Coordinates of all heavy atoms in Angstrom, one line a residue:
F5 N 1.2 4.2 -2.9 CA 0.9 5.5 -2.5 C 2.1 6.4 -2.9 O 1.9 7.5 -3.5 CB 0.6 5.7 -1.0 CG 0.5 7.1 -0.6 CD1 -0.6 7.9 -0.9 CD2 1.5 7.7 0.2 CE1 -0.7 9.2 -0.5 CE2 1.4 9.0 0.6 CZ 0.3 9.7 0.3
L6 N 3.3 6.0 -2.5 CA 4.5 6.9 -2.8 C 4.8 6.9 -4.3 O 5.2 8.0 -4.8 CB 5.7 6.3 -2.1 CG 5.7 6.4 -0.6 CD1 6.9 5.6 0.0 CD2 5.6 7.8 -0.1
A7 N 4.5 5.9 -5.0 CA 4.8 5.9 -6.5 C 3.8 6.6 -7.3 O 4.2 7.2 -8.3 CB 4.9 4.4 -7.0
T8 N 2.6 6.6 -6.9 CA 1.5 7.2 -7.7 C 0.9 8.4 -7.2 O 0.1 9.1 -7.9 CB 0.4 6.1 -8.0 OG1 -0.2 5.8 -6.7 CG2 1.0 4.9 -8.6
E9 N 1.1 8.7 -5.9 CA 0.4 9.8 -5.2 C -1.1 9.6 -5.3 O -1.9 10.6 -5.3 CB 0.8 11.1 -5.7 CG 2.3 11.4 -5.5 CD 2.6 12.8 -6.0 OE1 1.8 13.7 -6.3 OE2 3.9 13.1 -6.1
E10 N -1.6 8.3 -5.4 CA -3.0 8.0 -5.5 C -3.7 8.4 -4.2 O -3.1 8.4 -3.1 CB -3.1 6.5 -5.7 CG -4.5 6.1 -6.1 CD -4.5 4.6 -6.5 OE1 -3.5 4.0 -6.8 OE2 -5.6 4.1 -6.4
A11 N -4.9 8.9 -4.3 CA -5.6 9.3 -3.1 C -5.9 8.2 -2.1 O -6.1 7.0 -2.5 CB -7.0 9.9 -3.5
Y12 N -6.0 8.5 -0.8 CA -6.3 7.5 0.2 C -7.6 6.8 -0.1 O -7.7 5.6 0.1 CB -6.3 8.1 1.6 CG -4.9 8.1 2.3 CD1 -3.7 8.0 1.6 CD2 -4.9 8.3 3.6 CE1 -2.5 8.0 2.3 CE2 -3.7 8.3 4.3 CZ -2.5 8.2 3.6 OH -1.3 8.2 4.3
K13 N -8.6 7.5 -0.5 CA -9.9 6.9 -0.8 C -9.8 5.8 -1.8 O -10.3 4.7 -1.6 CB -10.9 7.9 -1.3 CG -11.6 8.7 -0.3 CD -12.6 9.6 -0.9 CE -13.4 10.3 0.1 NZ -14.5 11.2 -0.4
S14 N -9.1 6.0 -2.9 CA -8.9 5.0 -3.9 C -8.1 3.8 -3.4 O -8.4 2.7 -3.7 CB -8.2 5.6 -5.1 OG -7.9 4.7 -6.1
L15 N -7.0 4.1 -2.7 CA -6.2 3.0 -2.1 C -7.0 2.2 -1.1 O -6.8 1.0 -1.1 CB -5.0 3.6 -1.4 CG -3.9 4.1 -2.4 CD1 -2.8 4.9 -1.6 CD2 -3.3 3.0 -3.2
C16 N -7.8 2.8 -0.3 CA -8.7 2.1 0.6 C -9.6 1.1 -0.1 O -9.7 0.0 0.3 CB -9.5 3.0 1.5 SG -8.5 4.0 2.7
L17 N -10.1 1.5 -1.2 CA -11.0 0.6 -2.0 C -10.2 -0.5 -2.6 O -10.6 -1.6 -2.6 CB -11.7 1.4 -3.1 CG -12.8 2.4 -2.6 CD1 -13.3 3.3 -3.7 CD2 -13.9 1.7 -1.9
N18 N -9.0 -0.2 -3.2 CA -8.2 -1.2 -3.8 C -7.7 -2.2 -2.9 O -7.7 -3.4 -3.2 CB -6.9 -0.5 -4.5 CG -7.3 0.3 -5.7 OD1 -8.4 0.2 -6.3 ND2 -6.4 1.2 -6.1
F19 N -7.3 -1.8 -1.6 CA -6.7 -2.8 -0.7 C -7.8 -3.2 0.4 O -7.4 -4.0 1.2 CB -5.5 -2.2 0.0 CG -4.3 -2.1 -0.9 CD1 -4.0 -0.9 -1.5 CD2 -3.6 -3.2 -1.2 CE1 -3.0 -0.7 -2.4 CE2 -2.5 -3.1 -2.1 CZ -2.2 -1.9 -2.7
R20 N -9.0 -2.7 0.3 CA -10.1 -3.1 1.2 C -9.7 -2.9 2.6 O -9.8 -3.8 3.5 CB -10.5 -4.5 0.9 CG -11.2 -4.7 -0.4 CD -11.5 -6.1 -0.8 NE -12.2 -6.2 -2.0 CZ -11.8 -6.0 -3.2 NH1 -10.6 -5.6 -3.4 NH2 -12.6 -6.2 -4.3
V21 N -9.2 -1.7 2.9 CA -8.9 -1.3 4.3 C -9.6 0.0 4.6 O -9.9 0.8 3.7 CB -7.4 -1.2 4.6 CG1 -6.7 -2.5 4.4 CG2 -6.7 -0.1 3.7
V22 N -9.7 0.3 5.9 CA -10.3 1.6 6.3 C -9.2 2.7 6.3 O -8.0 2.4 6.4 CB -11.0 1.5 7.7 CG1 -12.2 0.6 7.6 CG2 -10.1 1.0 8.7
P23 N -9.6 4.0 6.1 CA -8.6 5.0 6.0 C -7.7 5.1 7.2 O -6.5 5.4 7.0 CB -9.5 6.3 5.9 CG -10.8 5.8 5.3 CD -11.0 4.5 5.9
N24 N -8.1 5.0 8.4 CA -7.2 5.1 9.5 C -6.2 4.0 9.5 O -5.0 4.2 9.9 CB -8.0 5.1 10.9 CG -8.8 3.9 11.1 OD1 -9.2 3.2 10.2 ND2 -9.1 3.7 12.4
T25 N -6.5 2.8 9.1 CA -5.5 1.7 8.9 C -4.5 2.1 7.9 O -3.3 1.9 8.1 CB -6.2 0.4 8.6 OG1 -7.1 0.1 9.6 CG2 -5.2 -0.7 8.4
L26 N -5.0 2.5 6.7 CA -4.0 2.9 5.6 C -3.1 4.0 6.1 O -1.9 3.9 5.8 CB -4.8 3.4 4.4 CG -4.0 3.9 3.2 CD1 -3.2 2.7 2.7 CD2 -4.9 4.4 2.2
S27 N -3.6 5.0 6.8 CA -2.7 6.1 7.2 C -1.7 5.6 8.2 O -0.5 6.1 8.1 CB -3.5 7.3 7.8 OG -4.2 6.9 9.0
L28 N -2.0 4.7 9.1 CA -1.1 4.2 10.0 C 0.0 3.3 9.3 O 1.2 3.4 9.6 CB -1.8 3.3 11.1 CG -2.6 4.1 12.1 CD1 -3.3 3.1 13.0 CD2 -1.7 5.0 12.9
V29 N -0.4 2.5 8.3 CA 0.5 1.7 7.6 C 1.5 2.5 6.8 O 2.7 2.3 6.8 CB -0.3 0.7 6.7 CG1 0.7 0.0 5.7 CG2 -1.0 -0.4 7.5
V30 N 1.0 3.5 6.1 CA 1.9 4.4 5.3 C 2.9 5.1 6.3 O 4.1 5.1 6.0 CB 1.1 5.4 4.5 CG1 2.0 6.5 3.9 CG2 0.3 4.7 3.4
Q31 N 2.4 5.6 7.4 CA 3.3 6.3 8.3 C 4.3 5.4 8.9 O 5.5 5.7 8.9 CB 2.5 7.0 9.4 CG 3.3 7.7 10.4 CD 2.5 8.4 11.5 OE1 1.3 8.4 11.5 NE2 3.2 8.9 12.5
E32 N 3.9 4.2 9.4 CA 4.9 3.3 10.0 C 5.9 2.8 8.9 O 7.1 2.6 9.2 CB 4.1 2.1 10.6 CG 3.4 2.4 11.8 CD 2.6 1.3 12.4 OE1 2.7 0.2 11.8 OE2 1.8 1.5 13.3
T33 N 5.4 2.5 7.7 CA 6.4 2.1 6.7 C 7.4 3.1 6.3 O 8.6 2.8 6.2 CB 5.6 1.6 5.4 OG1 4.6 0.7 5.8 CG2 6.5 1.0 4.4
C34 N 6.9 4.4 6.2 CA 7.9 5.5 5.9 C 8.9 5.6 7.0 O 10.1 5.9 6.7 CB 7.1 6.8 5.6 SG 6.2 6.8 4.1
E35 N 8.4 5.6 8.2 CA 9.4 5.7 9.4 C 10.4 4.5 9.3 O 11.6 4.7 9.6 CB 8.6 5.7 10.7 CG 7.8 7.0 10.9 CD 6.9 6.9 12.1 OE1 6.8 5.8 12.8 OE2 6.3 7.9 12.4
A36 N 9.9 3.3 9.0 CA 10.9 2.2 8.9 C 11.9 2.4 7.8 O 13.1 2.0 8.0 CB 10.1 0.9 8.7
I37 N 11.4 2.9 6.7 CA 12.3 3.2 5.5 C 13.4 4.2 5.9 O 14.6 4.0 5.7 CB 11.5 3.6 4.3 CG1 10.7 2.5 3.7 CG2 12.5 4.2 3.2 CD1 9.7 2.9 2.7
I38 N 12.9 5.2 6.6 CA 13.9 6.3 7.0 C 14.9 5.7 8.0 O 16.1 6.0 7.9 CB 13.1 7.5 7.7 CG1 12.3 8.2 6.6 CG2 14.0 8.4 8.4 CD1 11.3 9.2 7.1
E39 N 14.4 4.9 9.0 CA 15.3 4.4 10.0 C 16.3 3.4 9.4 O 17.5 3.5 9.7 CB 14.5 3.6 11.0 CG 15.3 3.0 12.2 CD 14.4 2.3 13.2 OE1 13.3 2.7 13.4 OE2 14.9 1.3 13.7
E40 N 15.9 2.7 8.4 CA 16.8 1.7 7.7 C 17.8 2.4 6.9 O 19.0 2.0 6.9 CB 16.0 0.7 6.9 CG 16.8 -0.3 6.2 CD 17.5 -1.3 7.1 OE1 17.0 -1.6 8.2 OE2 18.6 -1.8 6.7
F41 N 17.4 3.4 6.1 CA 18.4 4.0 5.1 C 19.0 5.3 5.5 O 19.8 5.9 4.8 CB 17.6 4.1 3.8 CG 17.3 2.8 3.2 CD1 16.0 2.4 3.1 CD2 18.3 2.0 2.6 CE1 15.6 1.2 2.6 CE2 18.0 0.8 2.0 CZ 16.6 0.4 2.0
M42 N 18.7 5.8 6.7 CA 19.2 7.1 7.1 C 20.7 7.1 7.1 O 21.3 8.1 6.8 CB 18.7 7.4 8.5 CG 19.0 8.8 8.9 SD 18.4 10.0 7.7 CE 17.7 11.2 8.7
K43 N 21.4 6.0 7.5 CA 22.8 6.0 7.5 C 23.4 6.1 6.1 O 24.6 6.5 6.0 CB 23.3 4.7 8.2 CG 22.9 4.6 9.6 CD 23.2 3.2 10.2 CE 22.6 3.1 11.5 NZ 21.9 1.8 11.7
E44 N 22.7 5.8 5.1 CA 23.2 5.8 3.7 C 22.9 7.1 3.0 O 23.4 7.4 1.9 CB 22.5 4.7 2.9 CG 22.9 3.3 3.4 CD 22.2 2.2 2.6 OE1 22.0 2.4 1.4 OE2 22.0 1.2 3.2
V45 N 22.2 8.0 3.7 CA 21.8 9.3 3.1 C 23.0 10.3 3.3 O 23.6 10.3 4.3 CB 20.5 9.9 3.7 CG1 20.3 11.3 3.2 CG2 19.4 9.0 3.4
N46 N 23.3 11.0 2.2 CA 24.3 12.0 2.4 C 23.9 13.2 3.3 O 22.8 13.7 3.1 CB 24.7 12.6 1.0 CG 25.4 11.6 0.1 OD1 26.1 10.7 0.6 ND2 25.3 11.8 -1.2
V47 N 24.7 13.5 4.2 CA 24.5 14.7 5.0 C 25.3 15.8 4.5 O 26.5 15.7 4.3 CB 24.8 14.3 6.5 CG1 24.5 15.5 7.4 CG2 23.9 13.2 6.9
C48 N 24.7 17.0 4.4 CA 25.4 18.1 3.9 C 26.5 18.6 4.9 O 26.2 18.7 6.1 CB 24.4 19.3 3.6 SG 25.1 20.7 2.8
P49 N 27.7 18.8 4.5 CA 28.8 19.2 5.4 C 28.4 20.5 6.0 O 27.8 21.4 5.4 CB 30.0 19.3 4.5 CG 29.7 18.5 3.3 CD 28.3 18.5 3.1
T50 N 28.8 20.7 7.2 CA 28.6 22.0 7.9 C 29.8 22.8 8.2 O 29.7 23.9 8.8 CB 27.8 21.7 9.2 OG1 28.6 20.8 10.0 CG2 26.5 21.1 9.0
T51 N 31.0 22.2 7.9 CA 32.2 22.9 8.2 C 33.0 23.1 6.9 O 32.8 22.3 6.0 CB 33.1 22.1 9.2 OG1 33.5 20.9 8.6 CG2 32.3 21.9 10.5
P52 N 33.9 24.0 6.9 CA 34.8 24.2 5.7 C 35.6 22.9 5.4 O 35.8 22.6 4.3 CB 35.7 25.4 6.1 CG 34.9 26.2 7.1 CD 34.1 25.2 7.8
E53 N 36.1 22.2 6.5 CA 36.8 21.0 6.3 C 36.0 19.9 5.7 O 36.5 19.2 4.8 CB 37.4 20.5 7.7 CG 38.4 21.4 8.3 CD 37.8 22.7 9.0 OE1 36.6 22.6 9.4 OE2 38.5 23.7 9.0
G54 N 34.7 19.9 6.0 CA 33.8 18.9 5.4 C 33.6 19.1 3.9 O 33.7 18.2 3.1
W55 N 33.5 20.4 3.5 CA 33.3 20.7 2.1 C 34.6 20.5 1.4 O 34.6 20.0 0.2 CB 32.9 22.2 2.0 CG 31.5 22.4 2.3 CD1 31.0 23.1 3.3 CD2 30.4 22.0 1.5 NE1 29.6 23.1 3.3 CE2 29.2 22.4 2.1 CE3 30.3 21.2 0.3 CZ2 27.9 22.1 1.7 CZ3 29.0 21.0 -0.2 CH2 27.9 21.4 0.5
K56 N 35.8 20.7 2.0 CA 37.1 20.4 1.4 C 37.2 18.9 1.1 O 37.8 18.5 0.1 CB 38.2 21.0 2.2 CG 38.3 22.5 2.2 CD 39.4 23.0 3.1 CE 39.4 24.5 3.1 NZ 40.4 25.1 4.1
E57 N 36.7 18.1 2.0 CA 36.8 16.7 1.9 C 35.9 16.2 0.7 O 36.3 15.4 -0.1 CB 36.3 16.0 3.1 CG 36.4 14.5 3.1 CD 36.0 13.8 4.4 OE1 36.2 14.4 5.5 OE2 35.5 12.7 4.3
V58 N 34.8 16.8 0.5 CA 33.9 16.5 -0.6 C 34.6 16.9 -1.9 O 34.6 16.1 -2.9 CB 32.5 17.2 -0.5 CG1 31.7 17.1 -1.8 CG2 31.7 16.7 0.7
V59 N 35.2 18.1 -2.0 CA 35.9 18.6 -3.2 C 37.1 17.7 -3.5 O 37.3 17.3 -4.6 CB 36.3 20.0 -3.0 CG1 37.3 20.5 -4.1 CG2 35.1 21.0 -2.9
R60 N 37.8 17.3 -2.4 CA 38.9 16.4 -2.6 C 38.5 15.0 -3.2 O 39.1 14.4 -4.0 CB 39.7 16.2 -1.3 CG 41.0 15.7 -1.4 CD 41.9 15.7 -0.1 NE 41.1 15.8 1.2 CZ 40.9 16.9 1.9 NH1 41.4 18.1 1.4 NH2 40.2 16.9 3.0
G61 N 37.3 14.5 -2.8 CA 36.8 13.3 -3.3 C 36.5 13.3 -4.8 O 36.9 12.4 -5.5
F62 N 35.9 14.4 -5.2 CA 35.6 14.6 -6.7 C 37.0 14.7 -7.4 O 37.1 14.2 -8.5 CB 34.8 15.8 -6.9 CG 33.3 15.5 -6.8 CD1 32.6 15.9 -5.7 CD2 32.6 14.9 -7.9 CE1 31.2 15.6 -5.6 CE2 31.3 14.6 -7.8 CZ 30.6 15.0 -6.7
S63 N 37.9 15.4 -6.9 CA 39.2 15.6 -7.6 C 40.0 14.3 -7.7 O 40.4 14.0 -8.7 CB 40.0 16.7 -6.8 OG 41.2 17.0 -7.5
D64 N 40.1 13.6 -6.6 CA 40.9 12.4 -6.5 C 40.2 11.2 -7.3 O 40.9 10.5 -8.0 CB 41.2 12.0 -5.1 CG 42.0 13.0 -4.3 OD1 42.6 13.8 -5.0 OD2 42.1 12.9 -3.1
T65 N 38.9 11.1 -7.1 CA 38.2 9.9 -7.7 C 37.8 10.1 -9.1 O 38.0 9.2 -9.9 CB 36.9 9.6 -6.8 OG1 37.3 9.5 -5.5 CG2 36.3 8.3 -7.3
W66 N 37.3 11.3 -9.5 CA 36.7 11.5 -10.8 C 37.5 12.5 -11.6 O 37.1 12.8 -12.8 CB 35.3 11.9 -10.7 CG 34.5 10.9 -9.9 CD1 34.0 11.0 -8.6 CD2 34.1 9.6 -10.3 NE1 33.3 9.9 -8.2 CE2 33.4 9.0 -9.3 CE3 34.3 8.8 -11.5 CZ2 32.9 7.7 -9.4 CZ3 33.8 7.6 -11.6 CH2 33.1 7.0 -10.5
N67 N 38.5 13.1 -11.1 CA 39.3 14.1 -11.8 C 38.4 15.3 -12.2 O 38.6 16.0 -13.2 CB 40.0 13.5 -13.0 CG 41.2 14.3 -13.5 OD1 41.8 15.0 -12.7 ND2 41.5 14.3 -14.7
F68 N 37.4 15.6 -11.3 CA 36.6 16.8 -11.5 C 37.0 17.8 -10.4 O 36.7 17.6 -9.2 CB 35.1 16.5 -11.3 CG 34.5 15.9 -12.5 CD1 33.7 14.7 -12.3 CD2 34.6 16.4 -13.8 CE1 33.1 14.1 -13.4 CE2 34.0 15.8 -14.9 CZ 33.3 14.6 -14.7
H69 N 37.8 18.8 -10.7 CA 38.3 19.7 -9.7 C 37.3 20.8 -9.4 O 36.5 21.1 -10.2 CB 39.6 20.3 -10.3 CG 40.6 19.3 -10.7 ND1 41.2 18.4 -9.9 CD2 41.0 19.0 -12.0 CE1 42.0 17.6 -10.6 NE2 41.9 17.9 -11.9
H70 N 37.4 21.3 -8.2 CA 36.5 22.4 -7.7 C 35.0 22.0 -7.8 O 34.2 22.8 -8.1 CB 36.8 23.7 -8.5 CG 38.2 24.0 -8.6 ND1 39.0 24.4 -7.5 CD2 39.1 24.0 -9.6 CE1 40.2 24.6 -7.8 NE2 40.3 24.4 -9.1
T71 N 34.7 20.7 -7.5 CA 33.3 20.3 -7.6 C 32.8 19.9 -6.2 O 33.5 19.2 -5.5 CB 33.2 19.0 -8.5 OG1 33.8 19.4 -9.8 CG2 31.8 18.6 -8.7
M72 N 31.6 20.4 -5.9 CA 31.1 20.1 -4.6 C 29.9 19.2 -4.6 O 29.4 18.8 -3.5 CB 30.6 21.4 -3.9 CG 31.8 22.4 -3.8 SD 31.2 24.0 -3.2 CE 31.4 23.8 -1.5
G73 N 29.4 18.8 -5.8 CA 28.3 17.9 -5.9 C 27.9 17.7 -7.3 O 28.3 18.5 -8.2
A74 N 27.2 16.6 -7.6 CA 26.7 16.3 -8.9 C 25.2 16.2 -8.8 O 24.7 15.5 -7.9 CB 27.3 15.1 -9.5
I75 N 24.5 16.9 -9.7 CA 23.0 16.8 -9.7 C 22.5 16.4 -11.1 O 23.1 16.7 -12.1 CB 22.5 18.2 -9.3 CG1 21.0 18.2 -9.1 CG2 22.8 19.3 -10.4 CD1 20.4 19.4 -8.4
D76 N 21.4 15.7 -11.0 CA 20.8 15.2 -12.3 C 19.3 15.1 -12.0 O 18.9 14.9 -10.8 CB 21.4 13.9 -12.8 CG 21.0 13.7 -14.3 OD1 20.4 14.6 -14.9 OD2 21.3 12.6 -14.8
G77 N 18.5 15.1 -13.0 CA 17.1 15.0 -12.9 C 16.5 14.1 -13.9 O 17.1 13.8 -14.9
K78 N 15.3 13.6 -13.6 CA 14.6 12.7 -14.5 C 13.1 13.0 -14.5 O 12.5 13.2 -13.5 CB 14.8 11.3 -14.1 CG 14.1 10.2 -15.0 CD 14.3 8.9 -14.5 CE 13.7 7.8 -15.3 NZ 12.6 8.1 -16.2
H79 N 12.5 13.1 -15.7 CA 11.1 13.2 -15.8 C 10.4 11.9 -15.7 O 10.7 11.0 -16.4 CB 10.6 13.9 -17.1 CG 10.9 15.3 -17.2 ND1 9.9 16.2 -16.7 CD2 11.9 16.1 -17.6 CE1 10.4 17.4 -16.9 NE2 11.6 17.4 -17.5
N80 N 9.6 11.7 -14.7 CA 8.9 10.4 -14.5 C 7.5 10.6 -15.1 O 6.7 11.4 -14.5 CB 8.8 10.0 -13.0 CG 10.2 9.8 -12.5 OD1 10.8 8.7 -12.8 ND2 10.7 10.7 -11.7
A81 N 7.2 9.9 -16.2 CA 5.9 10.1 -16.8 C 4.7 9.6 -15.9 O 4.9 8.7 -15.1 CB 5.8 9.3 -18.1
M82 N 3.6 10.3 -16.0 CA 2.5 10.0 -15.2 C 1.2 10.2 -16.0 O 1.2 11.0 -17.0 CB 2.4 10.8 -13.9 CG 2.3 12.3 -14.2 SD 2.4 13.3 -12.7 CE 0.7 13.4 -12.3
Q83 N 0.2 9.5 -15.6 CA -1.1 9.7 -16.3 C -1.9 10.8 -15.5 O -2.1 10.7 -14.3 CB -1.9 8.4 -16.3 CG -3.2 8.5 -17.1 CD -3.9 7.2 -17.3 OE1 -3.4 6.2 -16.8 NE2 -5.0 7.2 -18.0
A84 N -2.2 11.9 -16.2 CA -2.9 13.0 -15.6 C -4.4 12.7 -15.5 O -5.0 12.1 -16.4 CB -2.6 14.3 -16.3
S85 N -5.0 13.2 -14.4 CA -6.4 13.1 -14.3 C -7.1 14.1 -15.2 O -6.5 15.1 -15.7 CB -6.9 13.2 -12.9 OG -6.5 14.5 -12.4
A86 N -8.4 13.9 -15.5 CA -9.1 14.8 -16.5 C -9.1 16.2 -16.1 O -9.0 17.1 -17.0 CB -10.5 14.3 -16.7

Side-chain angles (χ1 to χ4, degrees):
F5 173 72
L6 293 174
T8 64
E9 297 182 14
E10 192 172 341
Y12 270 20
K13 275 187 176 182
S14 175
L15 287 170
C16 288
L17 293 173
N18 289 343
F19 290 99
R20 292 173 173 71
V21 295
V22 292
N24 60 336
T25 300
L26 177 64
S27 65
L28 288 174
V29 167
V30 169
Q31 181 179 352
E32 288 177 7
T33 306
C34 288
E35 288 172 357
I37 291 169
I38 290 168
E39 183 178 324
E40 179 67 27
F41 293 107
M42 188 56 135
K43 297 175 189 130
E44 297 179 28
V45 174
N46 289 336
V47 178
C48 189
T50 58
T51 64
E53 293 77 28
W55 284 110
K56 288 177 185 176
E57 184 178 327
V58 171
V59 170
R60 199 169 21 260
F62 274 103
S63 184
D64 295 346
T65 307
W66 303 108
N67 203 27
F68 286 129
H69 308 293
H70 311 292
T71 304
M72 300 172 93
I75 189 167
D76 197 9
K78 178 185 183 338
H79 282 274
N80 296 287
M82 60 184 269
Q83 185 174 1
S85 60

